[in-house]
Amino acid sequence: MNQTVRERVLIIDFGGQYKQLIARRVRECGVFSEIVPHTVPVSKLAEMAPKGIILTGGPNSVYDPKSPSCARELFELGIPVLGICYGSQLMAERLGGEVKSAPVSEYGDTEVTVSGEESVLFRGIDRKIRAWMSHTDYISAVPEGFRITAFTGHCPAAAMEDASRKLYAVQFHPEVVHTEGGAGMIRNFVLGVCGCAGDWRMDSFADQAVAELREKIGDSHVILGLSGGVDSSVAAALLSRAIGKQLHCVFVDHGLMRKHEGDEVGRIFGPDGCFDLNFTRVDARERFFMQLMGESDPESKRKVIGSVFPQVFGDEARKVKGIVRYIAQGTIYPDVVESGDGGSGDVIKSHHNVGGLPIELVKELGFDETPIEPLRMLFKDEVRRVGLELGIPRELVYRQPFPGPGLAVRIVGEITPLKVRIVQEADYIFREELAKAGVDGDLGQYFAALTNMRSVGVMGDHRTYGLAVVLRAVLTSDFMTAEAAELPWPVLKKCMNRIINEVPGVNRVLYDVTSKPPGTIELE
């Protein structure tokens, strides 16, 4: 759904890893933001009538002919523009300045001196700040009409501006938490330079989305693959409010969920639950376990699950052939951005599947090839707020992130029902003890996983040869990077004691202190 908004800021993507973070920072200012690819023509950008434009960073050099660029006319629209990192260099190069390879590259935490005290961009910002740098090139000469407003020991133009044309640029990344006053700079640009009112709120999203869904769907029926995760659950709740029993939710229980979660999904969305919809729970555990037998490679396990799910879901979809017209899915904005579709309408994603079904089957069943995606413009925290507003229990809305293949990526090696039970029990104990100790609130993600390592142990008077469980808890703001959480030692010891005593087959508990990078948050 494309929510109607009165004012917006466009984020033009030049390949920067922090583009989603920029968009989130703008929305935190109470202004709707949208990421679009750098290939969108200037004429199209003008039609979208943004209040401001932000150019993202990127890994390229602006003087390389193959690097992404933009037309000079972008800066002549009369729309305020903020260039960040690569975006700042692109602004300089396009407007007649010079960009060269830096004698000294700057990475990470860097001291920046703000020299443009009267600059709107730096209003309320200290004269000396620590900022996050990541560049090998630098602006060696600013364009005519620009003045330097910040510098470092190695970067003479860490920030520049032409206030008369409302063009601003910073070599560092104000969107990351490491930059002191960074959020304030973005706020100054969005509210001070662009003149946005900052009155966009999520409060009205549900009502507006429901009205749009009713208008689009009419008296047609919709099928949704309900995983029990936050995104699909909120999509189901929103569609339930809009069309009621015209919604058919199919929950494929593959047996790889956390302890009790399958039953919780049935309790919330089933016949005695909170929502008016048709709910079907398919017990496909045996089917999944049979297909996973003998598979130990992580990618192979993902492929098996990815192939079996549409088979099971497809069997249920055939039962409503002739009744259902649309497939719905819980796509959210990060999914849209990562797929390459920035939401501009100029980049059209080629769907090999729709809502979990291969496109060939979608055509066979006569379903519409364009899925219903009511959450496609929302970030995860915004989805959660909508979920609470719709009456989904808080424990589901704030459920820990969970991978699509489920526990299959938290079990190293072959998947068996016994290993799944071990992970489910160990994970339940870990989450329970963290909650009891009150240390779970600030964690980005935490879970138990199972290694394929066996070791000798002693329990009572008996020698054991058991499996090793690994506990993982990380701190992260964006899931792009993560640090292992320093959990209290008494809490870890209690988890270890309970897991070894209560979970048969385990005789060793490890704690994973690997950061991301070099590791990933999940084990596989």
Side-chain angles (χ1 to χ4, degrees):
M1 306 303 294
N2 291 317
Q3 188 188 20
T4 303
V5 292
R6 187 171 60 83
E7 54 186 22
R8 76 182 69 209
V9 168
L10 296 180
I11 319 295
I12 300 183
D13 177 22
F14 291 97
Q17 60 178 319
Y18 299 129
K19 59 193 172 218
Q20 293 182 32
L21 201 50
I22 298 171
R24 288 177 63 88
R25 293 290 179 258
V26 173
R27 292 193 187 186
E28 288 168 3
C29 298
V31 177
F32 184 76
S33 62
E34 187 172 347
I35 300 171
V36 298
H38 70 275
T39 52
V40 176
V42 172
S43 58
K44 174 69 174 178
L45 297 174
E47 286 176 18
M48 298 174 77
K51 296 283 284 186
I53 293 172
I54 298 178
L55 312 180
T56 76
N60 303 97
S61 294
V62 296
Y63 45 77
D64 184 340
K66 297 179 181 178
S67 295
S69 188
C70 65
R72 180 188 174 97
E73 288 74 22
L74 171 69
F75 305 102
E76 299 170 353
L77 293 173
I79 299 171
V81 180
L82 171 63
I84 295 176
C85 195
Y86 180 84
S88 71
Q89 297 169 7
L90 188 60
M91 182 185 293
E93 188 270 340
R94 294 276 77 190
L95 295 176
E98 286 188 350
V99 177
K100 295 181 179 180
S101 178
V104 178
S105 300
E106 291 178 311
Y107 293 101
D109 186 34
T110 306
E111 183 176 87
V112 175
T113 300
V114 176
S115 55
E117 291 84 357
E118 71 282 10
S119 170
V120 175
L121 191 68
F122 292 108
R123 185 175 294 158
I125 306 300
D126 293 339
R127 299 306 95 187
K128 295 278 189 182
I129 61 170
R130 308 299 302 185
W132 193 257
M133 286 281 194
S134 180
H135 68 99
T136 55
D137 295 335
Y138 78 125
I139 298 170
S140 56
V142 301
E144 184 178 350
F146 279 76
R147 69 188 183 100
I148 292 173
T149 53
F151 61 89
T152 75
H154 301 290
C155 185
M160 67 176 189
E161 67 180 52
D162 182 343
S164 64
R165 290 191 285 171
K166 297 186 176 180
L167 303 178
Y168 296 79
V170 292
Q171 181 60 67
F172 52 86
H173 289 274
E175 69 274 21
V176 303
V177 296
H178 310 289
T179 295
E180 296 173 348
M185 296 173 205
I186 292 177
R187 186 174 186 84
N188 286 341
F189 175 73
V190 171
L191 303 185
V193 177
C194 301
C196 294
D199 57 2
W200 182 73
R201 298 288 182 268
M202 288 299 304
D203 301 347
S204 61
F205 175 85
D207 290 339
Q208 186 171 330
V210 165
E212 291 181 7
L213 286 166
R214 285 174 179 162
E215 182 179 356
K216 177 178 177 61
I217 296 169
D219 58 1
S220 299
H221 283 236
V222 177
I223 189 170
L224 168 71
L226 182 62
S227 69
V230 177
D231 304 334
S232 68
S233 296
V234 175
L238 201 55
L239 283 160
S240 170
R241 179 178 288 190
I243 61 173
K245 284 292 198 296
Q246 293 166 236
L247 174 64
H248 303 259
C249 287
V250 177
F251 168 49
V252 176
D253 185 354
H254 49 37
L256 298 169
M257 299 185 74
R258 289 168 289 204
K259 186 176 180 179
H260 299 320
E261 283 193 346
D263 294 334
E264 289 173 5
V265 173
R267 176 176 57 81
I268 294 169
F269 292 99
D272 300 321
C274 321
F275 299 99
D276 182 31
L277 48 81
N278 295 292
F279 176 81
T280 301
R281 178 176 181 175
V282 184
D283 185 353
R285 289 174 292 183
E286 185 175 346
R287 189 167 176 178
F288 275 91
F289 284 132
M290 286 291 293
Q291 292 296 317
L292 285 167
M293 188 179 299
E295 298 288 352
S296 58
D297 178 72
E299 193 57 33
S300 298
K301 290 188 287 186
R302 285 185 173 89
K303 287 180 179 178
V304 167
I305 293 168
S307 65
V308 176
F309 176 83
Q311 295 171 14
V312 178
F313 186 45
D315 291 343
E316 294 303 313
R318 288 187 180 89
K319 297 176 183 178
V320 290
K321 181 179 180 179
I323 300 173
V324 165
R325 176 181 176 185
Y326 296 105
I327 301 179
Q329 55 193 32
T331 308
I332 64 174
Y333 201 37
D335 303 326
V336 175
V337 174
E338 292 307 319
S339 75
D341 179 0
S344 68
D346 281 35
V347 178
I348 300 188
K349 180 180 177 183
S350 298
H351 289 280
H352 298 292
N353 64 77
V354 177
L357 293 181
I359 190 67
E360 296 78 11
L361 181 55
V362 170
K363 292 178 179 178
E364 173 198 322
L365 296 171
F367 296 164
D368 197 291
E369 294 179 29
T370 303
I372 300 289
E373 298 174 312
L375 308 175
R376 69 178 276 117
M377 298 306 290
L378 302 186
F379 285 102
K380 179 73 79 174
D381 58 322
E382 296 167 337
V383 172
R384 287 190 168 111
R385 291 207 293 273
V386 173
L388 291 175
E389 185 182 336
L390 293 169
I392 299 177
R394 189 176 184 84
E395 60 268 22
L396 191 156
V397 169
Y398 283 95
R399 177 171 286 166
Q400 280 284 297
F402 197 56
L407 297 178
V409 297
R410 293 181 181 173
I411 297 174
V412 179
E414 184 181 5
I415 307 296
T416 67
L418 174 60
K419 288 183 177 180
V420 170
R421 283 197 296 274
I422 288 174
V423 176
Q424 286 175 333
E425 294 298 332
D427 181 73
Y428 188 82
I429 290 170
F430 186 43
R431 289 186 287 123
E432 185 177 61
E433 289 302 327
L434 292 186
K436 283 180 182 178
V439 298
D440 57 334
D442 296 328
L443 300 176
Q445 192 167 343
Y446 50 97
F447 56 87
L450 187 65
T451 72
N452 60 356
M453 180 186 83
R454 289 183 178 273
S455 63
V456 174
V458 177
M459 298 182 74
D461 295 324
H462 301 284
R463 179 180 180 275
T464 63
Y465 191 57
L467 289 164
V469 162
V470 60
L471 306 180
R472 180 98 163 116
V474 299
L475 302 172
T476 180
S477 59
D478 52 20
F479 290 88
M480 298 176 188
T481 61
E483 292 290 338
E486 295 184 26
L487 297 181
W489 184 248
V491 176
L492 285 174
K493 283 190 68 175
K494 188 167 186 180
C495 291
M496 178 272 296
N497 281 322
R498 283 196 59 192
I499 290 171
I500 289 178
N501 286 310
E502 298 176 29
V503 184
V506 176
N507 69 354
R508 196 171 294 271
V509 175
L510 313 174
Y511 185 63
D512 187 351
V513 298
T514 313
S515 61
K516 175 188 178 182
T520 57
I521 292 179
E522 296 288 347
L523 249 65
E524 291 199 333

